[in-house]
Amino acid sequence: MKSYLSTILLVCFLNLSFAGEGMWIPLLLKSLNEAEMQQMGMKLSAEDIYSINKGSLKDAIVHFGGFCTSEIISSEGLLLTNHHCGYGQIQSHSSLENNLLKNGFWAKNKKEELANPGLTATLIDQIIDVSEKILAGVTEEMTLKERQSLVDQNIAALKSGYNLADYQDLVVRPFYHGNQYFAFITTTYRDIRLVGTPPESIGKFGADTDNWVWPRHTGDFALFRIYAGPDNMPADYSENNIPYKPKHHLPISLDGVEEGDFTLVFGFPGRTQEYLPAAAVEQIVEVSNPAKIAIRETALGIIDKYMRADEETRIKYASKFARVANYWKKWIGESKGIKRTKGIEKKKAFEKEFQSALSADSPYKNLLSEFSALYKEQEPLAYVRDYYSEVAGRNIELMRLISISNRLVSNYENNGEESYNNYKSRVIPWLENFYKDYDARIDQEVFQALVTMYIEDVGTEYFPKQINEIDAESFYKNTALSSQEKMMSLLSEPAESAVAKLKEDPAFMFGKAWRELYTEKVGNPINNISYQLDSLQRIYMKALMETFPDRRFYPDANSTMRITYGKVDGYNPVDAVRYTPITYLDGVIEKYQPGDYEFDVSDKLLELYEKKDYGQYTDKTGKVPVCFIGTNHTTGGNSGSPAIDAYGNLIGLNFDRAWEGTMSDYNYDASICRNIMVDARYILFVVDKLAGATHLIEEMDLVRPKQK
Ligand code: ARG
Ligand code: GLU
């Protein structure tokens, strides 16, 4: 019975029948995935998806600002991404009189499109397997330091062999934990303008209550445009710039997809860790996640109380609250999902099989026990690290002011007045922005609560002694940092006296002492262990690939271009409940709560719904589809990624995952891991019927592949 069970578990882990797992490198699609994709219904070839010889899908896929994905959907560089990816830009164009967040925005013509200084759009020109060049001369006998310095030298040598334009870059990244290397030649555009956004009542419908939730009804999209110089190449913002002419843009399907249909998601997933040993996942579920969840819960509870009491505070803290709540909620789902799918047991069973597959003289014999020993040694330190990074690094806002002050002081002391002034001129606008949304009363209460938790849970030995009995009230009263007025007046003084005052500030001294203590007792030793763990992880990855040569391995996400594919599919969130994979406009109306800040609906949308004025944007049932889910393996960074049908048309826009399956970052499980996409027809419906921006619809290619 036992070995029967472990065989089943092994088969699950080895994923012999494909179900959606994997984030694949476009360059390797032909050899690893094409046949399977076609068997699943795809009508394209690998060359249609990634090619350097002709325009292919990859030429429409754009890294948006380096943190999200976007895609080109017209011959004039029209760019589609998520509302939550463009949120910062939309917010920066908003004021009380002209609130783009609340009312939405639609440029009536290209002249009205809004510039966004600092925003970039990066295209991938070419992907090259450079493993041999980068690993030339590297041996297993080398120490970690020797290995890294040779790799760095090889990367520098490789780069110097390329003649790149100033808007190009060559980025070399480790794959399979440093067992392979790929290079990416990129072109970055830097005049990216806002074309249109729905109001938050659509773009953020359901807000935090519905975040990570299926069934979902959010129209999480916004439109931008890439502008280029007269030669179609990147240029700084200029009125004379022209819309970028892409090598390829995605047509948009009005036929959509149904349950069981093939889907492909193309984008820039940020980070996954699928090959961690059981010991590591155990630490995440037992130690890290509970600590981080508890800290954020405390902070969010305090902020929520103030936000509910006062509308102005609600607006000030909305975006910060959303950011903290986002991962708080994700971690809860992640831990639940690992338990429910027996993720740790599966990894343990797999490790047993791995161990017994090794020959008696295998160099990998002790790998897993070395892992366990290191994770065990790391565990108490990891607990303090998680506490410190959440409390000091994330949730007490004063700490951010302290680290800025610290940088001002060290710039002055180490590099002189000019460097101090340079940094100061950059930091002043940042500070103005910061204080606009800062409430020292709230921060003080968060400080008191979190520092108390920290001292109780990790102990006084990791806290600066002199402030053991911290009195938050007098502390916040006596520092200049927590007051915009005091801080700005301090910074208006000559450098020398400003620096002297900062160094005497009680908050500054406290933050410095805390950081130094942490670095000595936790930061340095844990870095040392992490270094050894990274190296073990590389060897483990190599061992897995050698031990199971018939298995297809995909590299962990690392913010490089990837393809994932699967099918439209529902799931069972709990026993006896089945979620179907498509939501409709009717569901928006079902969730509608007049006046509620998360679930309000505009009059215009209600009117269109009453009149059933849906245009061509319905499915076969005559209803407007809003969102759908699939088995595509995605993660953070895939926001804004196109969902593409079997023919290469856009059918949706990725923006989230279903809560029950967020553990896919460590342990994808096809039974409950689902990505959430807005249906392209809902996007078109909003642009056309709600916004009346028919000129944009005309700019796009709408197609009906199923009626050909
Ligand atoms: N959960 C999605 C992601 O991880 C969306 C986050 C933005 N939306 C929100 N309500 N906070 O990024
Ligand atoms: N919302 C995420 C993002 O901003 C995507 C959701 C996920 O983590 O899969 O990238």
Side-chain angles (χ1 to χ4, degrees), residues 84 204 207-208 211-212 322 326 639 655-656:
H84 81 259
K204 213 186 159 180
D208 291 305
N211 191 22
W212 302 109
N326 191 34
S639 273
F655 70 102
D656 210 356

Side-chain angles (χ1 to χ4, degrees), residues 517-538:
L517 186 68
Y518 171 81
T519 306
E520 183 209 318
K521 290 200 166 172
V522 184
N524 292 339
I526 208 168
N527 280 348
N528 185 27
I529 297 175
S530 301
Y531 201 54
Q532 298 175 58
L533 282 171
D534 286 349
S535 164
L536 269 191
Q537 193 70 53
R538 174 179 59 76

Side-chain angles (χ1 to χ4, degrees), residues 191-208:
D191 180 358
I192 315 300
R193 303 186 197 167
L194 178 63
V195 173
T197 169
E200 274 187 307
S201 61
I202 287 175
K204 213 186 159 180
F205 183 74
D208 291 305

Side-chain angles (χ1 to χ4, degrees), residues 68 84 212 327 634-639 654-657:
C68 273
H84 81 259
W212 302 109
Y327 266 66
T634 56
T635 189
N638 270 125
S639 273
N654 185 75
F655 70 102
D656 210 356
R657 270 175 293 166

Side-chain angles (χ1 to χ4, degrees), residues 592-606:
Y592 170 42
Q593 290 176 41
D596 182 86
Y597 81 94
E598 296 188 295
F599 292 102
D600 208 352
V601 167
S602 71
D603 292 343
K604 177 80 190 186
L605 186 62
L606 289 171

